[in-house]
Amino acid sequence: MTLSRETLINLILIVLLAAVPFVALGIGQPFYITLATRIAILALAAVGLNLVLGLGGLVSFGHAAFFGIGGYVAGILAAHASSGEALMFGLAGSDQMPVIWLVTLIVCGIVGLAIGAVSLRTSGVYFIMITLAFSQMIYYFAVSWPAYGGEDGLSILVRNRFPGVNSMKPISYFLICLGMLIAGLGLFSLIRASRFGAALQAARQNAVRVAAVGISPYPIRLAAFTLSGMITGVAGALYADLNRFASPSMISWHMSGELIVLIVLGGTGRLFGPVAGAMLYVVFEFALGGLTERWQFFLGLILLAVVLFARGGLLGLLAGKARHG
Amino acid sequence: MTIALAIEQLLNGLQLGVMLFLMAAGLTLIFGVMGLINLAHGSLYMVGAFACATIAAWTGSFWLGLVASLAAAAAAGAIIELTVIRRLYDRDHLDQVLATFALILIFSEGTRWIFGSFPLYLDIPPLLQGAVALPGGAEYPLYRLAIIAVGAAVAIGLYLLISKTRLGMRIRAGESDREMIGALGVDIRTLYTIVFALGSALAGFAGAMVGALQSVQVGMGEPVLILAFVVIVIGGIGSIKGALIGAILVGVVDTLGRFLLPQILAILLPPAQAGLMGGALASMLIYIVMAVILAVKPRGLFTAHG
């Protein structure tokens, strides 16, 4: 089997990401482990979004909703586990990550199905704005509902546990997140290669023809939207555990914008686009943030330049055009 | 609950609606004519507010500040149209969203750079201070009434501009067939710049008017921008009439919801809980209204094109 240039670059990227924390430990700069963990989590969130945005061509400007819901699921379950109070219907809280992830998947699945069912009736700009509006709705709910911190957010006192691993150790937690990212990437590539993925991409290229060969685009898009929200939700749960904090800012529309930015910086619709994008973004943020307080100003300029002049993102630059348009 | 209180809330809703209309009219015009989704519209609102506050503080005149807000927002709009926006017309929505998102970062951080992080304050001009008696005995601030009047005047002015003037004719022609009016010899690039500057000026004007009610600060445009999106989605993107009706609907529903929902829930629930539930529900109410409207009419109430 010969490796294509893109596969080679993908391998280099993931090895690079995996190596960072060990190098960081070696040179005594454990802070970089947190940075690498952030990259892995943001990349996973963007992998979720890439499913609808990259493969489906649906610009969701509301994926922060799922990211935030994941964060709050982690926060709320942990809060109930530590206080011992029962959650609704007499269910107990939990500080076990697999349980939290499962609950996140269920909650985000239900919310994704509901938001998608309404939003996917529309298209184009309407879709962008409706997904934005739904995430704002959840944002305002989080801000105005005082039971779980309201505007102040919700602290997670002790990072949730993973069976058999000491999740408090930065490097262990990084490996958990990296594992989830790889699982997410695996799922994405499985979906992309499946009949379902083919139909989803075909619906992006020409919805009328897809309908003409007897496949209705709506249920396919709805399934993709729901799945995509579930993946982004799990990333949100990981993010809350990383910062030990779930806050409304995770649901803000800036977050939705950032997720789109990650994908486009890396390369839209490509398997490793989100990984490349998250690496670039976090490194930009860190490097520019160290140089100037006004780093967002320069980030804006760079982003503008990428959109106007460097279409295809980092992977487009390194690996050439994507094989499928 | 008294009648006076209800009237006061209704007027507050109208005032919010009128401000939203100024924002939404520009957004919907820009989308209708150029097919562009402009996230940076909230930044132009902020530019207007900052220009007004600066000039008002400098000269002591709110009115000069208001003129400055129009000029500054129109100029900022024209500059970004000529440098950035122009390149986005034939791009897909994803590129437009990203580029205008980048503009927000640049505008917000740039404004913070120039003016610092502290909010500026803008006083209501002496002419419009004071209150007017409402039927039922309550008083209502004159300035808010003036905002409603100004908004109504702008709505009428826009209607006249678009339906009666040559520029309006070109704008309408641009909405229905871009290539054709280009072929007929209308300078379409200049027309686009004018439309963009006009929309920007409206946003800046709204920012300046609201600036005297709230503080003038970085990020002030973003909540308004999102409400304006809700408005144009409800009204039908590209339709000025839809923007007007959507804006009033959103303004009134939002204001009355915050006022009435806790009271209605208080009939069913203990007061403390009713307050919480009511507050949380009220903040989501307009989005729920939007979802319902779109579930019935996916392209908004008044669809501009086909």
Side-chain angles (χ1 to χ4, degrees):
Chain A
M1 192 180 96
T2 53
L3 292 176
S4 77
R5 194 156 137 209
E6 184 166 351
T7 318
L8 192 66
I9 289 171
N10 292 349
L11 278 175
I12 293 173
L13 282 178
I14 201 86
V15 168
L16 203 65
L17 180 61
V20 166
F22 295 98
V23 174
L25 275 185
I27 59 171
Q29 294 281 359
F31 168 71
Y32 291 113
I33 303 178
T34 310
L35 225 53
T37 315
R38 230 171 92 80
I39 291 175
I41 294 172
L42 288 177
L44 178 63
V47 165
L49 178 59
N50 204 17
L51 201 59
V52 278
L53 195 148
L55 298 187
L58 303 161
V59 184
S60 165
F61 202 1
H63 258 54
F66 302 110
F67 196 66
I69 288 174
Y72 271 95
V73 167
I76 290 171
L77 286 180
H80 281 276
S82 77
S83 72
E85 274 175 54
L87 213 58
M88 55 180 103
F89 316 126
L91 293 173
S94 171
D95 60 357
Q96 293 294 321
M97 285 185 195
V99 178
I100 289 170
W101 296 341
L102 190 68
V103 175
T104 304
L105 286 173
I106 295 169
V107 176
C108 284
I110 294 169
V111 174
L113 204 60
I115 294 181
V118 177
S119 310
L120 287 166
R121 286 171 52 86
T122 65
S123 60
V125 189
Y126 282 89
F127 183 78
I128 297 175
M129 291 186 186
I130 289 159
T131 45
L132 171 64
F134 274 119
S135 75
Q136 284 299 108
M137 178 167 122
I138 293 169
Y139 172 79
Y140 283 119
F141 183 76
V143 166
S144 59
W145 188 248
Y148 295 108
E151 219 165 337
D152 298 331
L154 180 60
S155 290
I156 299 174
L157 297 175
V158 184
R159 184 175 288 156
N160 293 304
R161 279 190 284 238
F162 191 84
V165 179
N166 175 11
S167 64
M168 292 301 289
K169 257 175 74 183
I171 192 120
S172 319
Y173 191 59
F174 168 77
L175 290 175
I176 293 174
C177 294
L178 185 69
M180 292 302 280
L181 172 63
I182 291 171
L185 288 168
L187 185 66
F188 182 91
S189 79
L190 272 181
I191 290 175
R192 189 171 62 171
S194 70
R195 284 157 54 94
F196 167 73
L200 181 65
Q201 296 182 69
R204 179 192 76 218
Q205 289 162 354
N206 195 329
V208 178
R209 275 194 204 170
V210 169
V213 295
I215 304 171
S216 167
Y218 181 82
I220 295 193
R221 287 176 170 158
L222 186 56
F225 189 84
T226 309
L227 257 173
S228 137
M230 291 161 80
I231 297 174
T232 304
V234 171
L238 290 171
Y239 196 71
D241 257 330
L242 173 68
N243 300 325
R244 275 179 256 159
F245 188 56
S247 76
S249 73
M250 285 176 75
I251 320 176
S252 81
W253 70 293
H254 272 269
M255 192 68 227
S256 297
E258 267 172 40
L259 291 179
I260 300 181
V261 169
L262 295 185
I263 292 182
V264 174
L265 275 183
T268 318
R270 303 186 110 134
L271 177 61
F272 270 67
V275 182
M279 287 171 115
L280 258 186
Y281 188 84
V282 172
V283 170
F284 267 156
E285 187 184 50
F286 179 70
L288 282 175
L291 289 177
T292 161
E293 226 179 295
R294 307 285 170 221
W295 66 274
Q296 288 213 331
F297 184 83
F298 298 100
L299 179 71
L301 287 180
I302 292 169
L303 185 57
L304 204 55
V306 170
V307 177
L308 292 181
F309 307 114
R311 306 178 73 183
L314 182 65
L315 285 183
L317 219 60
L318 294 177
K321 276 194 170 170
R323 273 180 302 142
H324 303 287
Chain B
M1 181 178 78
T2 61
I3 302 284
L5 198 56
I7 294 179
E8 190 184 332
Q9 293 298 330
L10 199 62
L11 284 173
N12 278 344
L14 260 183
Q15 182 255 311
L16 175 62
V18 155
M19 281 298 98
L20 286 177
F21 170 68
L22 289 185
M23 283 290 282
L27 268 181
T28 209
L29 202 60
I30 289 166
F31 186 82
V33 178
M34 286 97 99
L36 177 95
I37 168 171
N38 180 23
L39 294 184
H41 211 65
S43 299
L44 297 160
Y45 174 90
M46 177 184 76
V47 166
F50 271 91
C52 184
T54 309
I55 296 297
W58 199 39
T59 64
S61 161
F62 176 80
W63 307 108
L64 282 179
L66 218 49
V67 174
S69 74
L70 280 169
I79 291 170
I80 60 171
E81 202 277 340
L82 290 170
T83 51
V84 177
I85 304 288
R86 174 163 286 196
R87 301 168 198 272
L88 298 171
Y89 294 141
D90 50 0
R91 296 289 191 87
D92 58 18
H93 294 315
L94 179 60
D95 283 358
Q96 298 177 347
V97 163
L98 274 171
T100 51
F101 184 76
L103 283 175
I104 294 181
L105 295 179
I106 295 171
F107 266 108
S108 295
E109 211 49 57
T111 311
R112 203 171 282 142
W113 210 339
I114 299 171
F115 292 94
S117 300
F118 294 103
L120 304 180
Y121 292 95
L122 187 56
D123 288 325
I124 294 172
L127 185 65
L128 297 176
Q129 282 170 3
V132 179
L134 290 181
E139 295 203 316
Y140 195 75
L142 181 60
Y143 184 71
R144 285 178 183 263
L145 282 182
I147 289 184
I148 297 175
V150 167
V154 170
I156 294 169
L158 259 185
Y159 167 76
L160 291 177
L161 174 77
I162 288 181
S163 64
K164 305 287 181 208
T165 65
R166 179 161 285 268
L167 176 63
M169 201 193 293
R170 287 183 176 166
I171 290 175
R172 277 180 291 138
E175 282 183 336
S176 39
D177 197 329
R178 254 163 263 186
E179 282 81 19
M180 186 54 91
I181 74 158
L184 289 173
V186 174
D187 182 359
I188 192 98
R189 289 164 75 92
T190 313
L191 179 71
Y192 284 177
T193 312
I194 292 172
V195 170
F196 199 86
L198 176 68
S200 307
L202 288 176
F205 189 60
M209 303 272 287
V210 173
L213 291 174
Q214 302 162 355
S215 57
V216 174
Q217 56 188 340
V218 173
M220 66 185 287
E222 294 171 7
V224 190
L225 172 79
I226 288 164
L227 284 181
F229 277 153
V230 173
V231 165
I232 64 174
V233 165
I234 288 178
I237 302 176
S239 159
I240 300 245
K241 185 168 100 185
L244 180 61
I245 291 170
I248 305 288
L249 184 73
V250 167
V252 171
V253 166
D254 190 52
T255 312
L256 289 188
R258 282 172 205 282
F259 167 63
L260 289 177
L261 268 180
Q263 301 194 13
I264 294 171
L265 287 174
I267 301 169
L268 306 168
L269 296 169
Q273 237 182 331
L276 288 183
M277 278 284 281
L281 263 183
S283 62
M284 298 162 65
L285 188 62
I286 51 164
Y287 302 104
I288 297 170
V289 169
M290 184 196 72
V292 170
I293 289 180
L294 286 171
V296 182
K297 296 194 78 160
R299 298 184 70 86
L301 294 175
F302 300 90
T303 314
H305 323 279

